[in-house]
Amino acid sequence: MTKPVLIVGGGPAGLSAAHALASAGRNVVLVEKEDRLGGAPILSGYARLVPSHEWAKDAIGGMVARVDNHPLVDVRLNAQVQSFDGQPGAFVATLKDGTSVEAETAILTTGFTHFDSLNKPEWGFGTYPDVVTTVQVEQMISSGAGIRCPSDGRVPDRVAILLCVGSRDRQIGREWCSKICCTVSANIAMEIREMSPKTNVYIYYMDIRTFGLYEGEYYWKSQEEAKVKYIKARIAEVTSDGKRLLVKGEDTLVKRPISIPFDMVVHAIGMDPNVDNMTISSVFGVELNKYQYIAKPSTYAHLAETSRPGVFVAGAATGPETIDDSIAQGQAAAMAALNYGSALVGKAAE
């Protein structure tokens, strides 16, 4: 009997990998440090997903259910790997509770951390209660409570969404584009307009990166149908006049300063490396790239591999990623682990 595949992280990529392996008849041990599966979409209370428009609780919840109910998947919640020793085919992972898990291979699907807007204090988060993040707005939408200003519960007349908060910002050490924020922000803007048609929504941007097939459905649709207004600008600061928030900066199209009042300002927060990546790198013996995500070699010849043989990686653990692509990468990592395991068995039989 071959040993199980160890999967670390129970978000979309980990759930996808676990289901793919179990469907192929392989035993899986799925380790998740939180008290439930689902990753950021469930733990952070996402609303409708891009591009399917399904509610996160239904789409990702369905993935959780099929893994939870599969007899070949052993789910370990509130668990973390403290040490990982051995060789491919004979790894031993020791969990923090002292439990040992033998594994043939391992897949790291440890995801990302949302950027903390306190690291961008000049844009008002932490100073003004009505400066919130896209995650907080998603929670408002998914809860059914509607769009409300946290300070007094009123429905906002004007909402500003500021793009690239914690992305493409060398001053705070975030040189990367977080890939999905523009599209998610356009989606949130349309949802606000749908829930509160009298609320005007403005999106402040450096550039719009609704890549691939998202351009028409989100960028143009948000303008032409939902009447969301786009302002190309460099934001200097978010302050208050005592009654409303003021977004101050430069309109970079007409080259003039602007100061516009809003009831609510939303930070479109980017994707940071998992805060635990230094520990993960040390425990699993895998290298990180210069941005502190888990490094992987060229995909053309090394599908889902890391710097350590027998340890694979998928999803936002390697960099900013969409949910759909994370799911696809989870399946690819499962195939890579299966192939690697088959090769080990073949060598052992020679």
Side-chain angles (χ1 to χ4, degrees), residues 10-12 15 32 36-45 60 64:
L15 293 169
E32 168 55 51
R36 53 185 171 152
L37 299 175
I42 296 298
L43 297 172
S44 296
I60 308 301
V64 169

Side-chain angles (χ1 to χ4, degrees), residues 181-210:
C181 316
C182 289
T183 308
V184 166
S185 296
N187 187 50
I188 286 175
M190 289 190 285
E191 289 189 312
I192 292 173
R193 291 284 295 152
E194 180 182 340
M195 298 178 74
S196 179
K198 292 184 179 180
T199 299
N200 293 297
V201 182
Y202 296 72
I203 292 179
Y204 284 78
Y205 70 98
M206 289 191 291
D207 305 289
I208 295 295
R209 294 183 170 183
T210 45

Side-chain angles (χ1 to χ4, degrees), residues 22-77:
S23 297
R26 290 302 311 274
N27 287 89
V28 173
V29 176
L30 176 56
V31 175
E32 168 55 51
K33 68 178 181 179
E34 303 294 343
D35 61 359
R36 53 185 171 152
L37 299 175
I42 296 298
L43 297 172
S44 296
Y46 288 5
R48 288 190 178 99
L49 300 179
V50 171
S52 70
H53 301 288
E54 295 175 80
W55 289 98
K57 61 182 177 61
D58 298 327
I60 308 301
M63 295 182 69
V64 169
R66 71 183 186 182
V67 165
D68 252 342
N69 298 327
H70 204 292
L72 295 182
V73 181
D74 178 5
V75 176
R76 311 285 183 93
L77 299 176

Side-chain angles (χ1 to χ4, degrees), residues 4 7 14 44-45 56 66 69 72 109 111 132 136 226 233 246 253 261 267 269 302-303 312 314:
I7 298 176
S44 296
R66 71 183 186 182
N69 298 327
L72 295 182
T109 53
V132 298
Q136 289 173 287
L246 295 176
L253 288 179
H267 285 196
I269 52 174
H302 305 278
L303 181 64
F312 302 89

Side-chain angles (χ1 to χ4, degrees), residues 264-286:
M264 179 186 288
V265 172
V266 181
H267 285 196
I269 52 174
M271 300 171 75
D272 269 3
N274 188 325
V275 293
D276 295 329
N277 272 0
M278 290 295 290
T279 301
I280 293 168
S281 171
S282 176
V283 168
F284 287 92
V286 297

Side-chain angles (χ1 to χ4, degrees), residues 16 28 90 102 128 138 155 177 180 183 228 244 279 314 319 332:
S16 175
V28 173
E102 294 185 342
Y128 307 108
E138 294 250 20
V155 176
C177 169
I180 195 65
T183 308
V228 174
R244 304 176 87 182
T279 301

Side-chain angles (χ1 to χ4, degrees), residues 8-305:
V8 184
L15 293 169
S16 175
H19 183 258
L21 287 164
S23 297
R26 290 302 311 274
N27 287 89
V28 173
V29 176
L30 176 56
V31 175
E32 168 55 51
K33 68 178 181 179
E34 303 294 343
D35 61 359
R36 53 185 171 152
L37 299 175
I42 296 298
L43 297 172
S44 296
Y46 288 5
R48 288 190 178 99
L49 300 179
V50 171
S52 70
H53 301 288
E54 295 175 80
W55 289 98
K57 61 182 177 61
D58 298 327
I60 308 301
M63 295 182 69
V64 169
R66 71 183 186 182
V67 165
D68 252 342
N69 298 327
H70 204 292
L72 295 182
V73 181
D74 178 5
V75 176
R76 311 285 183 93
L77 299 176
N78 298 304
Q80 289 180 270
V81 178
Q82 191 167 22
S83 65
F84 187 75
D85 303 305
Q87 301 296 323
F91 287 124
V92 178
T94 303
L95 306 187
K96 284 199 170 180
D97 65 359
T99 305
S100 292
V101 176
E102 294 185 342
E104 181 180 82
T105 53
I107 302 175
L108 304 179
T109 53
T110 45
F112 70 101
T113 297
H114 290 106
F115 174 76
D116 186 349
S117 280
L118 291 175
N119 292 317
K120 194 72 175 173
E122 66 271 27
W123 286 11
F125 186 83
T127 302
Y128 307 108
D130 294 329
V131 178
V132 298
T133 68
T134 40
V135 171
Q136 289 173 287
V137 175
E138 294 250 20
Q139 291 167 353
M140 293 181 195
I141 295 169
S142 63
S143 70
I147 303 302
R148 303 278 179 174
C149 294
S151 63
D152 56 12
R154 75 186 186 282
V155 176
D157 291 325
R158 295 160 66 94
V159 173
I161 301 176
L162 312 183
L163 299 187
C164 297
V165 183
S167 302
R168 304 178 65 203
D169 191 338
R170 288 187 170 186
Q171 293 182 341
I172 57 173
R174 270 72 175 187
E175 298 181 14
W176 56 87
C177 169
S178 289
K179 192 171 184 177
I180 195 65
C181 316
C182 289
T183 308
V184 166
S185 296
N187 187 50
I188 286 175
M190 289 190 285
E191 289 189 312
I192 292 173
R193 291 284 295 152
E194 180 182 340
M195 298 178 74
S196 179
K198 292 184 179 180
T199 299
N200 293 297
V201 182
Y202 296 72
I203 292 179
Y204 284 78
Y205 70 98
M206 289 191 291
D207 305 289
I208 295 295
R209 294 183 170 183
T210 45
F211 64 97
L213 302 181
Y214 296 157
E215 185 85 358
E217 187 174 356
Y218 293 95
Y219 177 59
W220 289 112
K221 184 178 179 180
S222 64
Q223 293 182 78
E224 295 170 349
E225 296 185 22
K227 307 304 179 186
V228 174
K229 301 170 183 65
Y230 284 73
I231 300 174
K232 186 174 177 64
R234 292 283 185 178
I235 306 301
E237 61 178 345
V238 176
T239 61
S240 173
D241 63 5
K243 295 181 180 179
R244 304 176 87 182
L245 298 166
L246 295 176
V247 177
K248 297 181 179 181
E250 179 192 17
D251 185 319
T252 55
L253 288 179
V254 297
K255 306 296 183 184
R256 64 178 176 83
I258 51 174
S259 179
I260 302 176
F262 291 94
D263 301 290
M264 179 186 288
V265 172
V266 181
H267 285 196
I269 52 174
M271 300 171 75
D272 269 3
N274 188 325
V275 293
D276 295 329
N277 272 0
M278 290 295 290
T279 301
I280 293 168
S281 171
S282 176
V283 168
F284 287 92
V286 297
E287 295 176 0
L288 303 180
N289 63 26
K290 67 178 182 178
Y291 302 114
Q292 300 305 298
Y293 288 95
I294 296 175
K296 60 180 182 178
S298 168
T299 302
Y300 303 113
H302 305 278
L303 181 64
E305 294 179 17

